[in-house]
Amino acid sequence: MPRAPAPVAAAGQDPEPFGLYSPGPLFSWPELQAMAADGVLTQLYQRGYLPPGAHASPQLRARAASLAVAPAIRQRVVAGRMTAAWIYGCAAEPDRLALLVDANRRVSSLRSVRGCTFHEVRLGPFDVVSMGGLMVSSPLRTAMDVALHVEAGLALPALRAFLAIPELGVRLRLLRLAVDASPRAPHKKAALAKIAALE
């Protein structure tokens, strides 16, 4: 089997320290797709590829997701909800990226971006982390948003996964307190019921 070449940065990106391949000066997207078809690379998400057997870390998933976000808006949006749950390894790959936009920023100019859904939210200073070239909602904020905004069939497995990964720091009591403290959340009662189902 041919060996995968060393990872290179896509145009305008930092060098890839994590082993992610993306379209750039050395390989075009069709070439990466061909290498994936030959088993030399494995597609991680859209235009991001990994060598076979490479571990898809949260940093790598965030980097792959960042490739699907136009550079012009990358610093204005935050990957959240089930997209962030996927980045943390707690959910399946999303069909569309769920991107959060702080209510203090204008969201109207982002509506035409394809392949993404936008949610206007209020973000606190501890709600966002930077990872793999993308802003991502923190594990606790992500778990809270999943409880509040995702239907139970998808939310419960994701929430169980968050609780099962100690390094994410999401604890059941902390999650319950965060949801309970969320102001004017329309789905708070349903979210607390989901959390009760995890006990």
Side-chain angles (χ1 to χ4, degrees), residues 1-7 18-21 32-44 48-57 60:
M1 177 185 291
R3 178 179 292 217
F18 308 114
L20 185 77
Y21 298 83
L32 292 169
Q33 290 173 308
M35 285 190 275
D38 291 341
V40 178
L41 298 176
T42 303
Q43 187 175 26
L44 175 58
Y49 294 82
L50 295 176
H55 172 66
S57 66
L60 279 170

Side-chain angles (χ1 to χ4, degrees), residues 83-102:
T83 297
W86 166 70
I87 287 172
Y88 290 119
C90 297
E93 175 185 314
D95 291 330
R96 295 167 66 86
L97 295 180
L99 300 177
L100 310 179
V101 182
D102 194 282

Side-chain angles (χ1 to χ4, degrees), residues 108-126:
S108 57
S109 62
L110 305 177
R111 298 265 182 225
S112 62
V113 178
R114 299 176 58 176
C116 305
T117 57
F118 293 93
H119 308 278
E120 194 170 318
V121 300
R122 296 223 175 264
L123 294 167
F126 302 108

